Amino acid sequence: PRLEARADVVDPDRLRLRTARGRARLPSLPPSGSTIVRTSGGTNEAAGAHMDISLGEPRIYGLEPRLPIEELRRRADDKKVGALGSGFGGLLQRPKAEDVVLAASQRRVEPFWHVACTAHYVYDRSRLYTVPASASDVRSVTILGSDFPVVPSGKGPAAFAMETIEHCAEDVRDELFVDGLTGAVMNNGPALIGGARTEVEDPLALAVDETMVVPPEQRASAIVRQLLAKVLRPLQADTVFEDSLAVEHLELFYRPVWA
């Protein structure tokens, strides 16, 4: 078994090791300023409306270690007996601390994606408003020169109905942090990227001092589509004035791991 400790979050019990090495692929997405066509979710002019898409520049970052290698080795040393002597067999033949020696260690960087999108909508829609009368003796109401008859409505108070146009605006934002190897959502993503980082143009620039660069197995384009499904809303609108989408962050992060 290998003991493994992350430079950002120490995890000595994690025993997975990947040896793949290569270049990350950034997604092939529509150019900034392009449009897509809505095919459902709207009415009248809203149906088939075009959406403007703005894409941020894809970026690659290497996260700086938060703990020195000496501290990671000390923590791994504290866990070595438990890692080798786990299970029922470990109760019978538990090795002594002096019998377990750290033979070798390796530094590698593993990928995860951060994608953030915002959607902005401005639109009008017609609605029939039902307004209760102020008293039981009201028979009609005049608003801006138009008369509206007051009609009894069962057990509720008498009311009048009037056609209106609602002027609507909505802003939606969401983001995802996804493990570049497993595709699992990372709830601790905001905490991970809060530390020091270095921007690089090529992930192989992180392969210094025999560091192994693990390429992502999850494509960013699939993650972007997953996020778009959350921020794209079906609009119940008659007229759409603004319908835009911005991919604010499309970032590939590499976090250091010692194994």
Side-chain angles (χ1 to χ4, degrees):
R2 285 181 177 270
L3 300 179
E4 182 172 295
R6 294 191 180 280
D8 45 18
V9 179
V10 177
D11 187 9
D13 298 323
R14 185 178 172 204
L15 304 178
R16 176 171 55 85
L17 173 63
R18 294 177 179 269
T19 58
R21 178 176 180 144
R23 187 183 304 270
R25 292 185 178 182
L26 291 174
S28 177
L29 296 173
S32 179
S34 60
T35 61
I36 62 175
V37 179
R38 287 184 176 274
T39 57
S40 63
T43 59
N44 299 339
E45 292 90 347
H50 289 76
M51 167 174 276
D52 295 324
I53 299 179
S54 175
L55 298 179
E57 186 69 21
R59 299 184 182 279
I60 303 174
Y61 295 100
L63 296 179
E64 299 295 332
R66 299 189 180 183
L67 294 173
I69 180 58
E70 293 77 12
E71 174 64 15
L72 296 176
R73 285 175 176 167
R74 185 191 66 78
R75 297 191 182 192
D77 189 67
D78 292 342
K79 296 286 186 177
K80 63 185 180 181
V81 174
L84 296 177
S86 60
F88 181 74
L91 298 177
L92 302 178
Q93 293 181 333
R94 190 174 185 85
K96 297 179 180 180
E98 57 270 18
D99 294 335
V100 181
V101 179
L102 180 62
S105 61
Q106 179 191 60
R107 184 182 189 273
R108 66 177 183 266
V109 289
E110 294 185 350
F112 67 92
W113 293 100
H114 173 221
V115 180
C117 298
T118 58
H120 176 66
Y121 309 106
V122 178
Y123 52 93
D124 285 355
R125 65 184 173 212
S126 59
R127 282 291 186 268
L128 183 66
Y129 275 44
T130 301
V131 184
S134 63
S136 59
D137 58 345
V138 178
R139 297 296 179 263
S140 66
V141 175
T142 301
I143 300 177
L144 298 178
S146 299
D147 292 333
F148 299 90
V150 175
V151 180
S153 56
K155 296 182 179 180
F160 64 94
M162 59 185 303
E163 291 285 348
T164 66
I165 297 178
E166 296 177 330
H167 308 290
C168 308
E170 185 178 7
D171 290 285
V172 183
R173 187 184 188 280
D174 208 339
E175 65 180 351
L176 276 177
F177 291 88
V178 177
D179 190 297
L181 302 178
T182 66
V185 175
M186 300 173 57
N187 296 324
N188 64 337
L192 289 178
I193 67 174
R197 66 178 77 172
T198 301
E199 184 174 1
V200 297
E201 295 184 0
D202 191 326
L204 293 182
L206 302 173
V208 296
D209 298 329
E210 299 183 351
T211 297
M212 176 178 293
V213 179
V214 183
E217 298 180 5
Q218 305 297 319
R219 291 182 176 272
S221 54
I223 300 171
V224 171
R225 286 193 296 269
Q226 180 182 351
L227 191 58
L228 292 184
K230 299 175 66 176
V231 300
L232 289 176
R233 302 291 178 87
L235 299 180
Q236 299 298 323
D238 296 312
T239 304
V240 177
F241 301 103
E242 297 180 35
D243 193 5
S244 61
L245 173 71
V247 180
E248 294 180 335
H249 298 285
L250 181 56
E251 300 168 329
L252 176 61
F253 285 89
Y254 281 89
R255 54 180 172 175
V257 177
W258 279 94

